[in-house]
Amino acid sequence: MTVTDEQAFLGAILRHPDDDTPRLVFADWLDERGTGDDSARAALIRAQCRLETLPEGKERKAAEKETKALLRAHARRWTAPLRGASLGENWTFRRGFIDGCSISPTSFVHHAELIFRHAPLLRTVRFPYAKGEVDGLAACPFLARLAAVDLQQMCTCGQCPIDVELRALFKSKHASGLSRLGVAFDRIDADMARALVASEPLRRLAALDLSGNPLGEAGVRVLAGARHFTRLAELTLNATELDPAAVAALGTAHLPALTKLSVVGNNLRPGAVRALVAAPLFAQLAELDLSDNRIGEGGAAALAKLPAAAPLKLLDVRRNALSEKAIRALKARFGKGVWV
């Protein structure tokens, strides 16, 4: 058993990063080798792979408890080479390997080879306050190894030309592997939305967070007309200046895979909720977050009257100042699937 053997197993995992089977085979090999903390690494792989599919219940709680204990005992040692080189922070594990961190784009670009040497399965990265650094990230070949990028609030002064940088990212061939993108609070308006929906490299996106951007009706109409986002399953439009016209436009969007929608904090009123419920897109939704709005009795009634066959199973209407009558009606319709 040599280092080369381990590299061969890691190579198989890298070729199939979304498949648990190569990871579990590697866990078996670690147990057989049995040196150092191999058994702990194998146990973490198995526990976290189970967590990917386990429903709520005793078995899931046991796996969560095991995972926390393993990470408490070993995570600092497993991340020591990265922390010792001051490369990133908030390192997280998923399915048995280092999966996520927070790091500046400049550090990522300059030290990517070293980072991936110690964290070959790194897939999820938060790039905080990234103004002036995203052009370099867009040109970096190692961006292609990431599946999820969060660029929330690139600029805090409101003056930096971050739109130019975002356009470079949207056009980058190295962004074609991204399945999740966060560009919340990045001043994305209707014009920038056009650049986003025209992006060929981003056509694989499964989750998109546009919260805190001034989209309004014009921006939502651009999104609704997108034809690339056929895999988009999760869309977050919190605090994006939605009005009834914007909600009506959203309801016509061609997003065939969408099942999860969040429109928190948009001051939505009963008419907007009724328009959404009546829209073609609504018939796809399994999860809807309407918290921090003003949906009123009328909006609550429209939701409570949904037929039992409707796919919507999880609904959040917290902080909508609903009456007890409205709350009872929603609980009667959704049971434990509603948060009020």
Side-chain angles (χ1 to χ4, degrees):
M1 303 297 181
T2 67
V3 173
T4 303
D5 294 323
E6 181 166 348
Q7 290 172 343
F9 283 110
L10 290 175
I13 296 169
L14 283 168
R15 288 191 296 274
H16 306 282
D18 298 320
D19 185 356
D20 283 342
T21 301
R23 296 174 189 248
L24 296 172
V25 170
F26 180 53
D28 291 341
W29 179 81
L30 286 171
D31 272 338
E32 290 177 8
R33 186 174 68 169
T35 61
D37 55 9
D38 282 353
S39 61
R41 291 174 66 192
L44 183 67
I45 292 170
R46 294 192 184 100
Q48 288 196 317
C49 285
R50 289 201 307 276
L51 283 174
E52 292 292 310
T53 57
L54 281 175
E56 294 296 329
K58 291 182 179 180
E59 192 175 352
R60 181 175 185 84
K61 287 181 179 179
E64 289 173 343
K65 183 177 180 181
E66 181 183 6
T67 294
K68 288 177 182 178
L70 287 164
L71 291 176
R72 201 161 42 239
H74 302 284
R76 283 191 62 80
R77 184 168 66 260
W78 290 337
T79 58
L82 295 159
R83 291 185 294 101
S86 298
L87 294 176
E89 57 186 7
N90 301 321
W91 293 93
T92 58
F93 288 74
R94 184 183 174 205
R95 296 163 65 213
F97 294 84
I98 294 173
D99 175 83
C101 75
S102 176
I103 190 171
S104 76
T106 300
S107 291
F108 178 84
V109 170
H110 288 171
H111 304 289
E113 287 191 23
L114 178 60
I115 290 169
F116 283 104
R117 188 182 310 153
H118 295 293
L121 273 296
L122 181 68
R123 304 266 285 160
T124 305
V125 178
R126 161 90 170 108
F127 295 107
Y129 310 115
K131 65 178 181 179
E133 300 180 79
V134 174
D135 279 337
L137 178 66
C140 178
F142 285 95
L143 173 62
R145 293 185 63 167
L146 301 182
V149 163
D150 186 357
L151 287 162
Q152 176 177 320
Q153 202 168 22
M154 289 172 57
C155 164
T156 56
C157 73
Q159 304 299 319
C160 301
I162 60 175
D163 59 318
V164 176
E165 296 183 77
L166 285 171
R167 289 176 192 272
L169 178 70
F170 297 163
K171 293 177 181 178
S172 172
K173 64 181 180 181
H174 306 307
S176 61
L178 294 181
S179 61
R180 304 183 70 88
L181 177 64
V183 283
F185 299 96
D186 281 334
R187 306 203 306 268
I188 293 178
D189 55 12
D191 186 49
M192 280 299 296
R194 290 187 189 93
L196 174 63
V197 302
S199 170
E200 283 283 346
L202 296 178
R203 64 187 306 136
R204 296 183 182 180
L205 284 182
L208 176 62
D209 186 355
L210 288 163
S211 298
N213 287 300
L215 287 173
E217 179 188 355
V220 170
R221 286 195 179 280
V222 172
L223 288 176
R227 289 296 180 266
H228 286 335
F229 293 156
T230 56
R231 302 185 187 186
L232 194 69
E234 180 179 339
L235 179 61
T236 304
L237 297 173
N238 301 341
T240 47
E241 303 179 8
L242 303 186
D243 59 15
V247 172
L250 178 63
T252 66
H254 177 71
L255 299 170
L258 192 72
T259 58
K260 185 176 180 179
L261 176 66
S262 181
V263 289
V264 174
N266 277 293
N267 199 33
L268 298 180
R269 300 186 181 229
V273 176
R274 285 192 288 266
L276 180 60
V277 169
L281 185 72
F282 189 82
Q284 303 172 200
L285 298 182
E287 300 182 38
L288 175 62
D289 192 344
L290 280 163
S291 55
D292 288 305
N293 281 291
R294 302 178 67 182
I295 70 170
E297 305 299 292
L303 293 163
K305 290 177 181 177
L306 287 173
L312 189 66
K313 303 302 179 187
L314 298 176
L315 173 66
D316 192 337
V317 290
R318 288 174 291 186
R319 298 178 295 281
N320 269 281
L322 297 177
S323 69
E324 286 299 320
K325 179 181 178 182
I327 290 172
R328 284 197 300 271
L330 289 169
K331 286 185 175 180
R333 168 59 183 82
F334 293 99
K336 293 182 178 180
V338 65
W339 290 270
V340 294

